[in-house]
Amino acid sequence: MADADTSADIASEPLFLNPLQDGFTENPWVHLAEMREHEPVHPLIVGGWSLFRYDDVFRILRDPSLSVEDRNADFDELSRGDLLAEFGELEENSSILNLDPPDHTRLRRLVSKAFTPKTIEALRPRVEELVDQALDAMAAAGQADVVGGLAFALPFDVISELLGMPDTDKAQIRDWSGAIVKTLDPILSPEEIREALVSSRAMSAHLDGVIEWKRRNPGNDLLTALIDVEEDGDKMSAKELRDQVSVLFIAGHETTVNLIGTGIAEMLRHPEQTEELRADPALDAGAVEELLRFVSPVQFSRRIAVEDLEVGGRTIPARSFIQTWLASANRDPEKFGETANELDIRRADAAQHVSFGSGIHYCLGASLAKLEGQVAIGGFVRRFPHAKIVGVPVWNGRMNLRGLERLVVDVG
């Protein structure tokens, strides 16, 4: 009887999401499933709300009445509000990720004119060449870190060449980028915010120098196109240009690293799926869609309620932050069926994932990330049919841009 009472007490305890608990980064899925089933519209203890069901997440992402501009939120609801107020420079960003219409519409239109599907597809031969070079180096070494040798190097080299960037220090850029993307997490220490501020200033100064160099040395590249792009007399300001380049370099790059590194790890954990992919290159596109769904390189995205909002029978007050848990939505059985927690590279509806968001803020670099994922993951599994993970993979410890910091493999 005592045991039954204890169970009842535990069952009646309120649920709350704690991404800081041990093991969450390695396996968030059990926690997200619990929230999705029992607390799908969840008030956060640090302020704001989290959503976990596919239908709710999809609806919020596509709602044009919601904001992404922090000035529309009450920062004092968040545990890091005072710190962000102290270091407000981190939030004053004119990238399309942080703007509402009409500013967002204007800038996205300008950037899109230089970032077309035709431009991206033309990169395929070069992406294949870079992947082959990385795989050759792995084969020669016999054992290699997939993240450092392929997942990080490939998107960095591709975006650098696409933009027409001069040679630069990869390690320094990686350090800056890693510090800056932590600001996408809901909870930060004062030290992490200060590190992000320093890195943000350094990255901005670096990009300002690169852009000035490119103005003097124009070429047949994306950065020159972004400098020159104009519509009805409208051009980007110097700061707007820098912020768009920064997004392409940082946010897009980091997510592709996570897709390739974590994607290869999952393929190696699912040998039967790897055999299917190895035998049929026509599955590459669908496999990447499924891996995007399965690993969710971006765990959540944010919106801000401009007015009171009803979701799942609860009222989200105006000026509240809303976390849409993409990772949870991507494994919702109500959307993807009883096999939602299984990897299936032949899944018919895999492309309906929300890993790139939805609505007006759908990721501009989605086609580039998919191209790189197809070539890198497909190329890896075919080149190394006997590859095995060595030791324990090391996670990057980030709540939002979840990925591997290190994945050592024996390529056989």
Side-chain angles (χ1 to χ4, degrees):
M1 190 66 165
D3 288 344
D5 289 342
T6 301
S7 298
D9 289 342
I10 293 174
S12 65
E13 290 180 1
L15 287 174
F16 70 96
L17 185 69
N18 180 13
L20 298 177
Q21 63 186 301
D22 290 342
F24 186 91
T25 301
E26 292 84 347
N27 181 17
W29 315 114
V30 63
H31 309 287
L32 296 179
E34 186 177 38
M35 300 303 295
R36 189 172 57 241
E37 181 177 357
H38 299 292
E39 186 75 3
V41 183
H42 177 62
L44 297 169
I45 59 175
V46 295
W49 295 72
S50 284
L51 306 180
F52 297 94
R53 289 180 178 167
Y54 182 95
D55 286 347
D56 293 336
V57 167
F58 188 71
R59 168 197 159 191
I60 293 301
L61 291 175
R62 297 187 65 83
D63 188 336
S65 72
L66 301 178
S67 176
V68 295
E69 296 186 7
D70 291 329
R71 63 186 176 84
N72 291 319
D74 289 328
F75 264 107
D76 58 3
E77 292 182 2
L78 299 176
S79 62
R80 62 176 178 148
D82 292 340
L83 286 166
L84 285 177
E86 178 184 353
F87 299 117
E89 181 177 327
L90 289 178
E91 299 300 307
E92 295 171 5
N93 188 295
S94 61
S95 79
I96 55 177
L97 291 180
N98 300 307
L99 292 176
D100 297 334
D103 293 328
H104 172 272
T105 307
R106 167 184 162 265
L107 285 174
R108 188 178 179 104
R109 183 175 63 246
L110 289 172
V111 175
S112 297
K113 290 174 73 70
F115 206 71
T116 66
K118 182 178 179 181
T119 301
I120 301 308
E121 186 55 34
L123 291 170
R124 186 177 289 273
R126 180 56 176 156
V127 173
E128 291 172 344
E129 183 180 3
L130 289 170
V131 168
D132 286 342
Q133 290 173 3
L135 299 183
D136 286 346
M138 288 183 179
Q143 190 175 105
D145 172 23
V146 168
V147 178
L150 177 62
F152 173 78
L154 175 65
F156 184 95
D157 289 342
V158 169
I159 196 63
S160 295
E161 292 188 17
L162 178 62
L163 287 165
M165 302 282 278
D167 289 339
T168 190
D169 187 342
K170 288 184 184 180
Q172 181 62 79
I173 295 288
R174 185 179 189 180
D175 289 344
W176 289 339
S177 178
I180 294 167
V181 297
K182 285 185 180 180
T183 62
L184 298 175
D185 286 350
I187 301 173
L188 293 171
S189 69
E191 292 73 22
E192 288 173 324
I193 291 181
R194 291 187 180 93
E195 183 183 0
L197 175 63
V198 171
S199 297
S200 179
R201 287 173 173 166
M203 178 70 86
S204 293
H206 173 74
L207 292 178
D208 282 340
V210 167
I211 291 168
E212 184 57 35
W213 179 87
K214 181 57 66 175
R215 290 186 192 278
R216 300 192 304 269
N217 300 274
N220 183 25
D221 52 62
L222 178 60
L223 184 49
T224 298
L226 289 171
I227 291 171
D228 293 340
V229 70
E230 184 173 352
E231 184 172 290
D232 298 328
D234 182 24
K235 296 189 72 169
M236 283 182 278
S237 69
K239 183 178 186 303
E240 288 173 339
L241 175 60
R242 182 191 71 205
D243 287 345
Q244 309 325 308
V245 173
S246 182
V247 165
L248 293 174
F249 228 119
I250 299 173
H253 172 260
E254 288 282 339
T255 54
T256 308
V257 172
N258 294 347
L259 166 62
I260 295 173
T262 313
I264 288 176
E266 290 298 344
M267 294 306 299
L268 294 179
R269 292 188 183 109
H270 296 80
E272 72 292 343
Q273 296 283 297
T274 303
E275 284 299 322
E276 289 193 53
L277 185 61
R278 185 177 295 124
D280 187 0
L283 294 175
D284 284 359
V288 167
E289 297 286 6
E290 173 66 350
L291 286 167
L292 282 162
R293 182 196 73 85
F294 194 73
V295 306
S296 295
V298 180
Q299 296 283 282
F300 52 83
S301 184
R302 77 170 185 348
R303 293 293 188 271
I304 297 166
V306 178
E307 300 177 344
D308 288 359
L309 188 68
E310 294 292 329
V311 182
R314 305 192 74 165
T315 299
I316 296 177
R319 302 188 63 80
S320 294
F321 269 95
I322 305 172
Q323 277 184 345
T324 58
W325 275 86
L326 313 178
S328 176
N330 283 340
R331 294 205 183 193
D332 188 346
E334 292 296 317
K335 174 63 179 178
F336 295 103
E338 295 180 358
T339 63
N341 278 311
E342 299 175 15
L343 182 67
D344 178 5
I345 63 172
R346 295 180 182 272
R347 188 181 300 274
D349 59 352
Q352 295 180 34
H353 63 76
V354 289
S355 291
F356 291 117
S358 191
I360 64 172
H361 288 284
Y362 182 80
C363 178
L364 191 63
S367 58
L368 178 57
K370 290 179 184 181
L371 169 61
E372 293 172 342
Q374 291 167 22
V375 177
I377 297 171
F380 180 91
V381 300
R382 293 186 190 98
R383 180 69 177 273
F384 303 125
H386 305 297
K388 294 181 181 179
I389 297 174
V390 176
V392 179
V394 179
W395 291 91
N396 61 18
R398 296 177 195 148
M399 284 177 257
N400 194 356
L401 299 190
R402 173 184 179 266
L404 289 168
E405 188 74 25
R406 185 172 173 82
L407 176 68
V408 178
V409 295
D410 186 330
V411 297

